[in-house]
């Protein structure tokens, strides 16, 4: 009976960690998308200095979360987002509004995709 109780407790602990990690990843993606949308809005209004500050702040927040993300997500996706941040920052530094908006859209889509990629679905089980 002790083995069954221990197994159930471990299962519940792992399940709680999975749910908590998914929740944190979703919140992080929403926060990043909001910052990237602000960058896009500033670029659309031709406020390049604000756009540059917005994307630099978003990149800084992204880098501070990189340790957690590196432990739960594939590194090739994280590297792609790092590359997109670098390209978006370079576009803002160059003052290229259309490139800023293009990179903001691509970056926002990539970030919002992260929490959705490993959600358990019945199609994945069957």
């Amino acid at each position: 009976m002790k083995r069954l109780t221990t197994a159930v407790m471990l299962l519940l602990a792992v399940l709680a960690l999975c749910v908590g990690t998914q929740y944190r990843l979703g919140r992080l993606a929403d926060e990043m998308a909001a910052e990237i949308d602000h960058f896009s809005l500033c670029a659309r209004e031709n406020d390049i200095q604000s756009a540059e500050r917005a994307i630099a702040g978003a990149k800084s927040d992204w880098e501070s979360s990189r340790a957690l993300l590196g432990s739960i997500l594939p590194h090739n996706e994280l590297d792609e987002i790092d590359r997109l941040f670098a390209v978006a920052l370079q576009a803002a530094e160059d003052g290229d509004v259309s490139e800023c908006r293009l990179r903001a859209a691509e970056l926002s889509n990539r970030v919002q995709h992260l929490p959705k990629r490993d959600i358990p679905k019945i199609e994945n089980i069957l």
Side-chain angles (χ1 to χ4, degrees), residues 25-36 58 62 69 73 77 80-82 84-85 104-117:
L25 184 58
R27 289 206 43 192
L28 178 66
D30 291 342
E31 292 168 5
M32 287 282 104
E35 291 184 51
I36 295 165
W62 170 259
L69 296 172
L73 295 171
E77 288 198 30
E80 179 65 19
I81 292 173
D82 286 339
L84 288 171
F85 267 118
E106 188 176 3
L107 191 54
S108 182
N109 286 337
R110 287 282 183 159
V111 167
Q112 289 176 345
H113 169 73
L114 291 177
K116 298 174 186 169
R117 62 179 303 282

Side-chain angles (χ1 to χ4, degrees), residues 2-87:
K2 285 184 179 183
R3 288 183 182 170
L4 179 62
T5 303
T6 303
V8 168
M9 295 302 282
L10 285 174
L11 179 63
L12 290 175
V14 169
L15 182 62
L17 284 172
C18 289
V19 169
T21 301
Q22 186 66 30
Y23 175 75
R24 177 67 183 119
L25 184 58
R27 289 206 43 192
L28 178 66
D30 291 342
E31 292 168 5
M32 287 282 104
E35 291 184 51
I36 295 165
D37 289 343
H38 178 68
F39 162 66
S40 180
L41 179 66
C42 290
R44 188 177 318 134
E45 294 174 350
N46 287 327
D47 187 0
I48 298 301
Q49 286 79 20
S50 293
E52 190 173 345
R53 282 192 305 272
I55 197 63
K59 183 177 182 187
S60 174
D61 291 347
W62 170 259
E63 289 172 353
S64 68
S65 300
R66 190 81 156 76
L68 168 70
L69 296 172
S71 66
I72 59 175
L73 295 171
H75 291 280
N76 60 345
E77 288 198 30
L78 301 179
D79 292 342
E80 179 65 19
I81 292 173
D82 286 339
R83 185 190 67 76
L84 288 171
F85 267 118
V87 171

